Coordinates of all heavy atoms in Angstrom, one line a residue:
M11 N -66.8 158.6 162.1 CA -68.2 158.7 162.2 C -68.6 160.1 162.4 O -68.0 160.8 163.2 CB -68.7 157.8 163.3 CG -70.2 157.8 163.6 SD -70.7 156.7 164.9 CE -70.8 155.2 164.0
T12 N -69.6 160.6 161.7 CA -70.1 161.9 161.8 C -71.5 161.8 162.2 O -72.4 161.2 161.6 CB -70.0 162.7 160.5 OG1 -68.6 162.7 160.0 CG2 -70.5 164.1 160.6
I13 N -71.9 162.5 163.3 CA -73.2 162.5 163.8 C -73.7 164.0 163.8 O -73.0 164.9 164.3 CB -73.3 162.0 165.3 CG1 -72.8 160.5 165.3 CG2 -74.6 162.1 165.9 CD1 -72.7 159.9 166.6
K14 N -74.9 164.1 163.3 CA -75.6 165.5 163.3 C -76.8 165.4 164.2 O -77.7 164.5 164.0 CB -75.9 165.9 161.9 CG -74.7 166.1 161.1 CD -75.0 166.6 159.7 CE -73.7 166.8 158.9 NZ -73.9 167.6 157.7
V15 N -77.0 166.4 165.1 CA -78.2 166.5 165.8 C -79.0 167.7 165.2 O -78.5 168.8 165.1 CB -77.9 166.9 167.3 CG1 -79.2 167.0 168.1 CG2 -77.0 165.7 168.0
L16 N -80.1 167.3 164.6 CA -80.9 168.3 163.9 C -82.0 168.9 164.7 O -82.8 168.1 165.3 CB -81.5 167.6 162.6 CG -80.6 166.8 161.7 CD1 -81.4 166.2 160.6 CD2 -79.5 167.7 161.2
G17 N -82.1 170.2 164.8 CA -83.2 170.8 165.5 C -83.0 172.3 165.8 O -81.9 172.8 165.5
S18 N -84.0 172.9 166.3 CA -84.0 174.3 166.4 C -83.3 174.8 167.6 O -83.1 176.0 167.8 CB -85.5 174.8 166.5 OG -86.1 174.3 167.7
G19 N -82.9 173.9 168.5 CA -82.2 174.3 169.7 C -83.1 174.2 170.9 O -82.8 174.7 172.0
C20 N -84.2 173.6 170.7 CA -85.2 173.4 171.8 C -84.7 172.4 172.9 O -83.6 171.9 172.7 CB -86.5 172.9 171.3 SG -86.4 171.2 170.6
T21 N -85.4 172.3 174.0 CA -85.0 171.4 175.1 C -84.8 170.0 174.6 O -83.8 169.4 175.0 CB -86.1 171.5 176.2 OG1 -86.2 172.8 176.6 CG2 -85.7 170.6 177.4
N22 N -85.7 169.5 173.8 CA -85.5 168.1 173.3 C -84.2 168.0 172.4 O -83.6 166.9 172.5 CB -86.7 167.7 172.5 CG -87.9 167.3 173.3 OD1 -87.7 167.0 174.5 ND2 -89.1 167.3 172.8
C23 N -83.9 169.0 171.6 CA -82.7 168.9 170.8 C -81.5 168.9 171.7 O -80.5 168.1 171.4 CB -82.7 170.2 169.9 SG -84.1 170.3 168.8
K24 N -81.5 169.7 172.7 CA -80.3 169.8 173.6 C -80.2 168.4 174.4 O -79.1 167.9 174.6 CB -80.5 170.9 174.6 CG -80.4 172.3 173.9 CD -80.6 173.4 174.9 CE -80.6 174.7 174.2 NZ -81.0 175.9 175.0
T25 N -81.3 167.9 174.8 CA -81.3 166.6 175.5 C -80.8 165.5 174.6 O -80.0 164.6 175.0 CB -82.7 166.2 176.0 OG1 -83.2 167.2 176.9 CG2 -82.8 164.9 176.7
L26 N -81.2 165.5 173.3 CA -80.7 164.5 172.3 C -79.2 164.6 172.2 O -78.5 163.6 172.2 CB -81.4 164.6 171.0 CG -80.9 163.7 169.9 CD1 -81.1 162.2 170.3 CD2 -81.7 163.9 168.6
E27 N -78.7 165.8 172.1 CA -77.3 166.0 172.0 C -76.5 165.5 173.2 O -75.5 164.8 173.1 CB -76.9 167.5 171.7 CG -75.4 167.8 171.6 CD -75.1 169.2 171.5 OE1 -75.8 170.1 172.0 OE2 -74.0 169.5 171.0
R28 N -77.0 165.8 174.4 CA -76.4 165.4 175.6 C -76.4 163.9 175.7 O -75.4 163.3 176.0 CB -77.1 166.0 176.8 CG -76.5 165.6 178.2 CD -77.2 166.3 179.3 NE -78.7 166.2 179.3 CZ -79.4 165.2 179.6 NH1 -78.9 164.0 180.0 NH2 -80.8 165.2 179.5
R29 N -77.5 163.2 175.4 CA -77.6 161.8 175.5 C -76.7 161.1 174.4 O -76.2 160.1 174.7 CB -79.1 161.3 175.3 CG -79.9 161.6 176.5 CD -81.3 161.1 176.3 NE -82.2 161.5 177.5 CZ -83.5 161.2 177.5 NH1 -84.1 160.6 176.6 NH2 -84.2 161.6 178.6
T30 N -76.6 161.7 173.3 CA -75.8 161.2 172.2 C -74.3 161.2 172.7 O -73.6 160.2 172.5 CB -75.9 162.0 170.9 OG1 -77.3 161.8 170.5 CG2 -75.0 161.4 169.8
L31 N -73.9 162.3 173.3 CA -72.5 162.4 173.8 C -72.3 161.4 174.9 O -71.2 160.8 174.9 CB -72.2 163.8 174.2 CG -72.2 164.9 173.1 CD1 -72.1 166.3 173.7 CD2 -71.0 164.6 172.2
E32 N -73.3 161.2 175.7 CA -73.2 160.2 176.8 C -73.0 158.8 176.3 O -72.2 158.0 176.7 CB -74.4 160.3 177.7 CG -74.3 159.5 179.0 CD -75.5 159.7 179.9 OE1 -76.1 160.8 179.9 OE2 -75.8 158.7 180.7
A33 N -73.8 158.5 175.3 CA -73.8 157.2 174.6 C -72.4 156.9 174.0 O -71.9 155.8 174.2 CB -74.9 157.0 173.6
L34 N -71.9 157.9 173.3 CA -70.6 157.8 172.7 C -69.5 157.5 173.7 O -68.7 156.7 173.5 CB -70.3 159.0 171.9 CG -71.0 159.2 170.5 CD1 -70.9 160.6 170.0 CD2 -70.6 158.2 169.5
D35 N -69.6 158.3 174.8 CA -68.6 158.1 175.9 C -68.7 156.7 176.5 O -67.7 156.1 176.7 CB -68.9 159.2 177.0 CG -67.8 159.2 178.0 OD1 -66.6 159.2 177.7 OD2 -68.2 159.1 179.2
E36 N -69.9 156.2 176.7 CA -70.1 154.9 177.3 C -69.6 153.8 176.4 O -69.1 152.8 176.8 CB -71.5 154.7 177.7 CG -71.9 155.5 179.0 CD -73.3 155.2 179.4 OE1 -73.9 154.2 179.1 OE2 -73.9 156.1 180.2
L37 N -69.8 154.0 175.1 CA -69.3 153.0 174.1 C -67.9 153.2 173.8 O -67.3 152.3 173.1 CB -70.1 153.2 172.8 CG -71.6 152.7 172.8 CD1 -72.3 153.2 171.6 CD2 -71.7 151.2 173.0
R38 N -67.3 154.3 174.2 CA -65.9 154.6 173.8 C -65.7 154.7 172.3 O -64.7 154.1 171.8 CB -64.9 153.6 174.5 CG -65.0 153.7 176.0 CD -63.9 152.9 176.6 NE -63.8 153.2 178.0 CZ -64.0 152.2 179.0 NH1 -64.1 151.0 178.6 NH2 -63.9 152.6 180.2
V39 N -66.7 155.3 171.7 CA -66.6 155.5 170.2 C -66.4 156.9 169.9 O -67.0 157.8 170.5 CB -68.0 155.0 169.6 CG1 -68.0 155.5 168.1 CG2 -68.2 153.6 169.7
R40 N -65.4 157.2 169.0 CA -65.1 158.6 168.7 C -66.0 159.0 167.5 O -66.1 158.2 166.5 CB -63.6 158.7 168.4 CG -62.8 158.4 169.6 CD -61.3 158.6 169.3 NE -61.1 160.0 169.2 CZ -59.9 160.5 169.0 NH1 -58.9 159.7 168.7 NH2 -59.7 161.8 168.9
A41 N -66.5 160.2 167.6 CA -67.3 160.7 166.4 C -67.3 162.2 166.5 O -67.1 162.8 167.5 CB -68.7 160.2 166.6
D42 N -67.4 162.8 165.3 CA -67.6 164.3 165.2 C -69.1 164.5 165.4 O -69.9 164.0 164.6 CB -67.2 164.8 163.9 CG -65.7 164.6 163.7 OD1 -64.9 164.9 164.6 OD2 -65.2 164.2 162.5
V43 N -69.5 165.3 166.4 CA -70.9 165.6 166.7 C -71.1 167.1 166.3 O -70.4 167.9 166.8 CB -71.3 165.3 168.1 CG1 -72.7 165.7 168.4 CG2 -71.0 163.8 168.5
E44 N -72.1 167.3 165.5 CA -72.4 168.7 165.0 C -73.9 169.0 165.3 O -74.8 168.1 165.0 CB -72.1 168.7 163.5 CG -72.5 170.0 162.9 CD -72.3 170.0 161.4 OE1 -71.7 169.0 160.8 OE2 -72.8 170.9 160.7
K45 N -74.2 170.1 165.8 CA -75.5 170.6 165.9 C -75.9 171.3 164.7 O -75.2 172.2 164.2 CB -75.7 171.6 167.1 CG -75.6 170.9 168.5 CD -75.4 171.9 169.6 CE -76.5 172.9 169.7 NZ -76.5 173.7 170.9
V46 N -77.1 171.0 164.1 CA -77.6 171.6 162.9 C -78.9 172.3 163.2 O -79.9 171.6 163.6 CB -77.7 170.6 161.7 CG1 -78.3 171.3 160.5 CG2 -76.4 169.9 161.4
Q47 N -78.9 173.6 163.1 CA -80.1 174.4 163.3 C -80.7 175.1 162.1 O -81.8 175.6 162.1 CB -79.9 175.4 164.4 CG -79.5 174.8 165.8 CD -79.3 175.8 166.9 OE1 -78.6 176.8 166.7 NE2 -79.9 175.6 168.0
D48 N -80.0 175.0 161.0 CA -80.4 175.6 159.8 C -81.6 174.8 159.2 O -81.5 173.6 158.9 CB -79.2 175.6 158.8 CG -79.6 176.3 157.4 OD1 -79.8 177.5 157.4 OD2 -79.8 175.5 156.5
V49 N -82.7 175.5 159.0 CA -83.9 174.9 158.5 C -83.7 174.2 157.2 O -84.2 173.1 156.9 CB -85.1 175.9 158.5 CG1 -86.3 175.3 157.9 CG2 -85.3 176.5 159.9
K50 N -83.0 174.9 156.3 CA -82.8 174.3 154.9 C -82.0 173.0 155.0 O -82.3 172.0 154.3 CB -82.1 175.3 154.0 CG -83.1 176.4 153.6 CD -82.4 177.4 152.7 CE -83.3 178.5 152.3 NZ -82.7 179.5 151.4
E51 N -81.0 173.0 155.8 CA -80.2 171.8 156.0 C -81.0 170.7 156.6 O -80.9 169.5 156.2 CB -78.9 172.1 156.8 CG -77.9 170.9 156.8 CD -76.6 171.2 157.4 OE1 -76.3 172.3 157.7 OE2 -75.8 170.2 157.5
I52 N -81.8 171.0 157.6 CA -82.6 170.0 158.3 C -83.6 169.4 157.2 O -83.7 168.2 157.1 CB -83.4 170.6 159.5 CG1 -82.4 171.0 160.6 CG2 -84.5 169.7 160.0 CD1 -83.0 171.8 161.7
A53 N -84.2 170.3 156.4 CA -85.1 169.8 155.4 C -84.4 169.0 154.3 O -85.1 168.1 153.8 CB -85.8 171.0 154.7
S54 N -83.2 169.2 154.1 CA -82.5 168.4 153.1 C -82.4 166.9 153.5 O -82.1 166.1 152.6 CB -81.1 169.0 152.9 OG -80.2 168.6 153.9
F55 N -82.6 166.6 154.7 CA -82.5 165.2 155.2 C -83.9 164.6 155.1 O -84.1 163.4 155.5 CB -82.0 165.1 156.6 CG -80.5 165.3 156.7 CD1 -80.0 166.6 157.1 CD2 -79.6 164.3 156.4 CE1 -78.7 166.8 157.2 CE2 -78.3 164.5 156.4 CZ -77.8 165.8 156.8
G56 N -84.9 165.4 154.7 CA -86.3 164.9 154.6 C -86.9 164.7 156.0 O -87.9 163.9 156.1
L57 N -86.4 165.4 157.0 CA -86.9 165.2 158.3 C -88.3 165.9 158.5 O -88.5 167.0 158.1 CB -85.9 165.9 159.3 CG -85.9 165.4 160.7 CD1 -85.3 164.0 160.7 CD2 -85.1 166.3 161.6
M58 N -89.2 165.2 159.0 CA -90.6 165.7 159.2 C -90.8 166.2 160.6 O -91.6 167.1 160.8 CB -91.6 164.6 158.9 CG -91.5 164.0 157.5 SD -91.8 165.3 156.2 CE -93.5 165.7 156.5
H59 N -90.0 165.7 161.6 CA -90.2 166.1 163.0 C -88.8 166.2 163.6 O -88.0 165.3 163.4 CB -91.0 165.1 163.8 CG -92.4 164.9 163.2 ND1 -93.4 165.8 163.3 CD2 -92.9 163.9 162.4 CE1 -94.5 165.4 162.7 NE2 -94.2 164.2 162.1
T60 N -88.6 167.2 164.4 CA -87.3 167.4 165.1 C -87.6 167.0 166.6 O -88.7 167.0 167.0 CB -86.8 168.8 165.1 OG1 -87.7 169.7 165.6 CG2 -86.4 169.2 163.7
P61 N -86.6 166.6 167.3 CA -85.2 166.6 166.9 C -84.9 165.3 166.0 O -85.7 164.4 166.0 CB -84.4 166.5 168.2 CG -85.3 165.8 169.1 CD -86.7 166.2 168.7
G62 N -83.8 165.4 165.3 CA -83.4 164.3 164.5 C -82.0 164.0 164.7 O -81.2 164.8 165.1
L63 N -81.6 162.7 164.4 CA -80.2 162.3 164.6 C -79.8 161.6 163.2 O -80.5 160.8 162.7 CB -80.1 161.3 165.7 CG -78.7 160.9 166.1 CD1 -78.0 162.1 166.8 CD2 -78.7 159.7 167.1
V64 N -78.7 162.1 162.7 CA -78.2 161.6 161.5 C -76.8 161.1 161.7 O -75.9 161.8 162.3 CB -78.1 162.7 160.4 CG1 -77.4 162.3 159.1 CG2 -79.5 163.3 160.1
I65 N -76.5 159.8 161.3 CA -75.2 159.2 161.4 C -74.7 158.9 160.0 O -75.3 158.2 159.3 CB -75.2 158.0 162.3 CG1 -75.7 158.3 163.7 CG2 -73.8 157.3 162.3 CD1 -75.8 157.1 164.6
D66 N -73.5 159.5 159.7 CA -72.9 159.4 158.4 C -73.9 159.5 157.2 O -74.0 158.7 156.3 CB -72.2 158.0 158.3 CG -71.0 157.9 159.2 OD1 -70.4 159.0 159.5 OD2 -70.6 156.8 159.6
G67 N -74.7 160.6 157.3 CA -75.7 160.9 156.3 C -77.0 160.2 156.3 O -77.9 160.4 155.5
K68 N -77.2 159.3 157.3 CA -78.4 158.5 157.3 C -79.2 158.9 158.6 O -78.7 158.9 159.7 CB -78.0 157.0 157.5 CG -79.2 156.1 157.7 CD -78.7 154.6 157.8 CE -79.8 153.7 158.2 NZ -79.2 152.3 158.5
V69 N -80.5 159.2 158.3 CA -81.4 159.6 159.4 C -81.7 158.3 160.2 O -82.2 157.3 159.7 CB -82.7 160.2 159.0 CG1 -83.7 160.5 160.1 CG2 -82.5 161.5 158.2
V70 N -81.3 158.3 161.5 CA -81.5 157.1 162.4 C -82.6 157.3 163.4 O -83.0 156.4 164.1 CB -80.2 156.6 163.0 CG1 -79.2 156.2 161.9 CG2 -79.6 157.7 163.8
S71 N -83.0 158.6 163.6 CA -84.0 158.9 164.6 C -84.6 160.3 164.3 O -83.9 161.2 163.9 CB -83.4 158.9 166.0 OG -84.3 159.4 167.0
Q72 N -85.9 160.4 164.5 CA -86.6 161.7 164.3 C -87.8 161.8 165.2 O -88.5 160.8 165.5 CB -86.9 162.0 162.9 CG -87.9 161.1 162.3 CD -88.3 161.6 160.9 OE1 -88.6 162.7 160.6 NE2 -88.2 160.7 159.9
G73 N -88.1 163.0 165.6 CA -89.3 163.3 166.3 C -89.4 162.9 167.8 O -90.5 162.9 168.4
G74 N -88.3 162.5 168.3 CA -88.3 162.1 169.7 C -86.9 162.1 170.3 O -85.9 162.3 169.6
V75 N -86.8 161.7 171.6 CA -85.5 161.7 172.2 C -85.3 160.3 172.8 O -85.8 160.0 173.9 CB -85.4 162.7 173.3 CG1 -84.0 162.7 173.9 CG2 -85.7 164.1 172.8
P76 N -84.6 159.4 172.1 CA -84.3 158.1 172.6 C -83.5 158.1 173.9 O -82.7 159.0 174.1 CB -83.5 157.4 171.5 CG -83.8 158.2 170.3 CD -84.0 159.6 170.8
S77 N -83.7 157.0 174.7 CA -82.9 156.9 175.9 C -81.4 156.7 175.5 O -81.1 156.3 174.3 CB -83.4 155.7 176.7 OG -83.1 154.5 176.0
V78 N -80.5 156.8 176.5 CA -79.1 156.6 176.2 C -78.9 155.1 175.8 O -78.1 154.9 174.9 CB -78.3 156.9 177.5 CG1 -76.8 156.5 177.3 CG2 -78.3 158.4 177.8
E79 N -79.6 154.2 176.4 CA -79.5 152.8 176.0 C -79.9 152.6 174.5 O -79.2 151.8 173.8 CB -80.3 151.9 176.9 CG -79.7 151.8 178.3 CD -78.3 151.4 178.4 OE1 -77.9 150.4 177.7 OE2 -77.5 152.1 179.1
I80 N -80.9 153.1 174.1 CA -81.4 153.0 172.7 C -80.3 153.7 171.8 O -80.0 153.1 170.7 CB -82.8 153.6 172.5 CG1 -83.8 152.9 173.3 CG2 -83.1 153.7 171.0 CD1 -84.1 151.4 172.8
L81 N -79.8 154.8 172.2 CA -78.8 155.5 171.4 C -77.6 154.7 171.2 O -76.9 154.6 170.2 CB -78.5 156.9 171.9 CG -79.6 157.9 171.7 CD1 -79.4 159.2 172.6 CD2 -79.7 158.3 170.3
K82 N -77.2 154.0 172.3 CA -76.0 153.1 172.3 C -76.2 152.0 171.2 O -75.3 151.7 170.5 CB -75.7 152.6 173.6 CG -75.1 153.6 174.6 CD -75.1 153.2 176.0 CE -74.4 151.9 176.3 NZ -74.3 151.6 177.8
E83 N -77.4 151.5 171.2 CA -77.7 150.4 170.2 C -77.7 150.9 168.8 O -77.1 150.3 167.9 CB -79.1 149.8 170.5 CG -79.3 149.0 171.8 CD -80.7 148.6 172.1 OE1 -81.6 148.7 171.2 OE2 -81.0 148.2 173.2
I84 N -78.2 152.1 168.6 CA -78.2 152.7 167.3 C -76.8 153.0 166.8 O -76.3 152.7 165.7 CB -79.0 154.0 167.2 CG1 -80.5 153.7 167.4 CG2 -78.8 154.8 165.9 CD1 -81.4 154.9 167.7
I85 N -76.0 153.6 167.7 CA -74.6 154.0 167.4 C -73.8 152.8 167.2 O -73.0 152.7 166.2 CB -74.0 154.9 168.5 CG1 -74.7 156.3 168.5 CG2 -72.5 155.1 168.3 CD1 -74.5 157.1 169.7
A86 N -73.9 151.8 168.0 CA -73.1 150.5 167.8 C -73.5 149.9 166.5 O -72.6 149.4 165.8 CB -73.4 149.6 169.0
R87 N -74.7 149.8 166.1 CA -75.2 149.2 164.9 C -74.5 150.0 163.7 O -74.0 149.4 162.8 CB -76.7 149.2 164.8 CG -77.2 148.6 163.5 CD -78.7 148.8 163.3 NE -79.1 150.2 163.2 CZ -80.0 150.8 163.8 NH1 -80.8 150.2 164.7 NH2 -80.3 152.1 163.6
E88 N -74.6 151.3 163.7 CA -74.1 152.1 162.6 C -72.6 152.1 162.6 O -72.0 152.1 161.5 CB -74.6 153.6 162.7 CG -76.1 153.7 162.6 CD -76.6 153.2 161.3 OE1 -76.0 153.4 160.2 OE2 -77.7 152.5 161.3
F89 N -71.9 152.0 163.7 CA -70.5 151.9 163.8 C -70.0 150.6 163.2 O -69.1 150.5 162.4 CB -70.0 152.0 165.2 CG -68.5 152.0 165.4 CD1 -67.7 153.1 165.0 CD2 -67.9 150.8 165.8 CE1 -66.4 153.1 165.2 CE2 -66.5 150.8 166.0 CZ -65.7 151.9 165.6
A90 N -70.7 149.5 163.5 CA -70.4 148.2 163.0 C -70.6 148.1 161.5 O -69.8 147.6 160.7 CB -71.2 147.1 163.7
A91 N -71.7 148.7 161.0 CA -72.0 148.8 159.6 C -70.9 149.6 158.8 O -70.5 149.2 157.7 CB -73.3 149.4 159.3
A92 N -70.4 150.6 159.4 CA -69.3 151.4 158.8 C -68.0 150.7 158.7 O -67.2 150.9 157.8 CB -69.2 152.7 159.5
Q93 N -67.8 149.8 159.7 CA -66.5 149.0 159.7 C -66.5 147.9 158.8 O -65.5 147.4 158.4 CB -66.3 148.5 161.2 CG -66.2 149.6 162.2 CD -65.1 150.6 161.9 OE1 -64.0 150.2 161.7 NE2 -65.4 151.8 161.9
S94 N -67.7 147.4 158.3 CA -67.7 146.2 157.4 C -67.6 146.6 156.0 O -67.6 147.7 155.5 CB -69.0 145.4 157.6 OG -70.1 146.2 157.5

C-alpha cells in the first residue's frame, strides 16, 4: 500500500501525516507513506483543497484533517479492497 500526503507543509498537512501514521500503527498495516509538496504533482490528482490523502493512486480525503478513527476506517477499507 502506498499512501501520499499532499500539501504545502502547513500545520494541517503535518497533522494529517501524523494521524495517518498513527492510524497505520494502530491497524498494524504496513504502507509506504510519502509527503508530496510539489504543486504540479498535487494538481495531477485533481485536488482542489489541501491537505489531501491518496491511497494507491486514489484520492480518499481532501481539504480537511480526518480524525485517527476516520483514517483507520478509510485505510482499512482501502486495504481490504486491495486484498480482494
